Amino acid sequence: MQTLPDTHAQHRSTVWVLGDQLDRELGALADAVPGEATVLLVESEALLARRTHVQRLHLVLTAIRRFADELRREGFTVDVRRAPTLGAGVRAHVAEARPDRVRVTEPSSKATLAAVQSLGCEVVRSERFLCHYEEFAAWA
């Protein structure tokens, strides 16, 4: 389990950034302020254990860690946590850090969205969709 620095005690919220959302200007992270929010990045052992290309796994882990370093240089407290699953990583972070809320940018898959919602996270609408599915449904 990763130990967070003492400075986390003053942070009221956590922004959970998924591995395919490593963008400072995206969703929940866009309005986060260094010193006020902690950023959580979870390296899921379940996702890493999938039979996939070794170089692709290396690319994903490297991207997560480099993004964490960029955020630290910007002044954020960052919790990069290895856990059996994404959910286990979030639950462990919440148990340790005790944030008032966990915000996450809307994931691109329905399964991940359901998982995020089951964890009680505040979902921030994603700007990554050319046409958001809610707008499409209203149109259709």
Side-chain angles (χ1 to χ4, degrees):
M1 180 176 279
Q2 175 131 356
T3 303
L4 296 176
D6 291 336
T7 57
H8 182 78
Q10 66 192 6
H11 299 166
R12 296 177 304 279
S13 70
T14 292
V15 176
W16 174 23
V17 178
L18 299 171
D20 64 346
Q21 300 175 343
L22 306 178
D23 183 343
R24 177 67 175 95
E25 302 302 319
L26 180 67
L29 194 54
D31 62 354
V33 177
E36 294 181 10
T38 296
V39 178
L40 172 64
L41 296 155
V42 179
E43 296 176 354
S44 166
E45 293 168 355
L47 293 175
L48 296 174
R50 288 184 182 169
R51 291 190 183 266
T52 188
H53 203 272
V54 174
Q55 284 87 351
R56 181 173 184 267
L57 289 176
H58 179 74
L59 176 67
V60 170
L61 290 175
T62 300
I64 287 172
R65 293 171 188 173
R66 286 188 181 195
F67 189 64
D69 289 342
E70 288 176 23
L71 293 172
R72 285 185 188 107
R73 283 192 297 276
E74 193 176 328
F76 282 100
T77 298
V78 181
D79 181 7
V80 178
R81 186 174 294 265
R82 175 75 60 103
T85 64
L86 291 173
V90 172
R91 284 188 294 276
H93 171 82
V94 167
E96 185 177 331
R98 304 224 179 269
D100 291 340
R101 65 185 181 161
V102 176
R103 300 178 77 218
V104 63
T105 301
E106 180 179 30
S108 56
S109 78
K110 288 182 181 181
T112 306
L113 178 59
V116 161
Q117 291 170 331
S118 74
L119 292 166
C121 298
E122 178 185 323
V123 178
V124 176
R125 187 173 167 146
S126 176
E127 310 90 26
R128 295 187 309 166
F129 299 104
L130 180 60
C131 175
H132 194 272
Y133 63 85
E134 290 175 348
E135 293 167 355
F136 181 80
W139 174 82

